[in-house]
Amino acid sequence: MQNNLTEPKSRYLLMVEDTASVAALYRSYLAPLGIDINIVGNGRDAIDSLAHRTPDLILLDLRLPDMTGMDVLDKVTQFNPDVPVIFMTAHGSIDTAVDAMQHGAQDFLIKPCEPDRLRITVTNAIRKASKLKQEFNDTGTQTYQGFIGSSQTMLAVYRTIDSAASSKASIFITGESGTGKEVCAEAIHAASKRGDKPFIAINCAAIPKDLIESELFGHVKGAFTGAAGDRQGAAELADGGTLFLDELCEMDLELQTKLLRFIQTGTFQKVGSSSMKKVDVRFVCATNRDPWQEVQAGRFREDLYYRLYVIPLHLPPLREREDDVIEIAYSLLGFMSYEEGKSFVRFAPEVIERFTQYEWPGNVRQLQNVLRNVVVLNQGKEIRLDMLPPPLNVPIEEDKVVAQVTSSHLTPENILPLSKIERIAIESAIKACDGNIPQAAKYLDVSPSTIYRKIQAWTANEAQA
């Protein structure tokens, strides 16, 4: 049995435990695994040790003489987000475990810990982390459950998914539009014990207010005009599996009340029916807003927030994912070239530089649209800068004209009129958002009507000229 648990001796475990006798006991429990173990007695020594050697796993006591385990965890996730952390404490509770998971812990052990339980937990955690680091495809691009990218921020996301997937706890995904929230929800479902059961997604922002209750809970024949027969809703279809509620903060407050009751009891009524149905679903939610700000603004129920916001998972925007943009671009290029019958295989160096420095306000979705545009409209083996749609096909200096003219190197000769700077900013934002004016308005922090008025004024002035 021990042979199955043994890891290579190169594995390194950092144990943060202030009681020497307990630390010695746990070291003896873990001896059969053949891993290097370094024991420190306080949080400061634990943090300092990270600069000398990165551990494959950290066993962390919740109560330390100089700081809390949560303080240490915050430092670990800040500088070493791909290192898994397992909490150990004699003061365990469900609330503490949930708090630890929210802060990035992979698992939670209650002391005193049985030898087999400790060995199995440590082995699984190290193997899981190792799998994330080694899961590369033939091109060297790391892939994970539909995601592409090997940046530190994404490795932290993968680790959270792996840790939380097997739990029944609700997961609340946040992130900008286009960051892959539905891909994340599907990854959670695939990695869970419900992976062979249905994954049902419902977009709360895309369905009219008067139809969303029927989409969610279903309806019976004659419940309303057009209800020609009984219909199953997303809740019933997801029985045994995962129900993904996308853009949840867009849901009407009245329906939020019914959703809360459904989450608490697992029961619901179809529209027009007086009978109750019971299902077993795991809830995964997503929004591109700040859910707590929505609560404070009165648009999202606070009790629903606390019910669903158990394990938060934030997806970083593409601009914060280091070189992932190039990995994603090459993966998409290969797929789209094959699909469109083209022969593109590489990017010109200036295109790689452009992609790396561009802010990508539309995130991965925008990158997909840009590459689809290029592949469909062009021929060749190499993607050149002049093939890219605006504003990506202009030099980086022109794209950042507003930043330049407001810099400390500004001279009277290169001052632009404020109206021109405003127009450059608005038109660049619209191009970056593929002509979607409401989305451009969101990134510019103005109302869409403001942009429409500006465009109307520019058109009128040009017509008069």
Side-chain angles (χ1 to χ4, degrees), residues 44-56:
R44 175 49 54 193
D45 288 346
I47 294 169
D48 290 344
S49 73
L50 297 175
H52 304 290
R53 186 178 179 185
T54 301
D56 293 286

Side-chain angles (χ1 to χ4, degrees), residues 290-303 305:
D290 182 327
W292 181 243
Q293 287 186 3
E294 295 300 298
V295 170
Q296 293 177 313
R299 293 186 291 265
F300 194 66
R301 289 182 61 108
E302 186 172 359
D303 47 6
Y305 169 86

Side-chain angles (χ1 to χ4, degrees), residues 354 358 366 370 385 388-396 398-399 427-434:
R354 192 74 174 95
Y358 186 60
Q366 183 187 5
V370 165
L385 187 65
L388 302 180
L392 285 157
N393 61 349
V394 299
I396 295 172
E398 289 183 31
D399 189 45
E427 290 181 340
S428 297
I430 293 173
K431 288 177 182 178
C433 295
D434 298 323

Side-chain angles (χ1 to χ4, degrees), residues 22-95:
V22 173
L25 180 63
Y26 287 168
R27 182 197 285 274
S28 69
Y29 287 171
L30 296 173
L33 302 185
I35 57 181
D36 295 335
I37 300 176
N38 179 29
I39 298 173
V40 295
N42 59 64
R44 175 49 54 193
D45 288 346
I47 294 169
D48 290 344
S49 73
L50 297 175
H52 304 290
R53 186 178 179 185
T54 301
D56 293 286
L57 176 67
I58 298 175
L59 287 179
L60 179 59
D61 194 10
L62 186 62
R63 296 193 176 185
L64 299 169
D66 57 341
M67 62 181 74
T68 69
M70 289 296 187
D71 294 330
V72 178
L73 179 62
D74 286 340
K75 289 292 184 182
V76 172
T77 53
Q78 182 180 356
F79 298 107
N80 301 82
D82 57 332
V83 175
V85 176
I86 295 176
F87 267 110
M88 304 184 301
T89 180
H91 310 279
S93 69
I94 294 176
D95 290 341

Side-chain angles (χ1 to χ4, degrees), residues 2 11 30 60 75 85 89 95 112 127 135 143 174 206 217 221 230-231 251 318 339 383 389:
Q2 289 181 358
R11 300 299 186 196
L30 296 173
L60 179 59
K75 289 292 184 182
V85 176
T89 180
D95 290 341
R127 284 177 175 167
E135 196 176 34
T143 60
T174 57
F217 298 127
K221 181 179 180 180
D230 291 358
R231 184 178 184 277
M251 181 178 285
L318 192 53
E339 193 175 57
I383 303 294

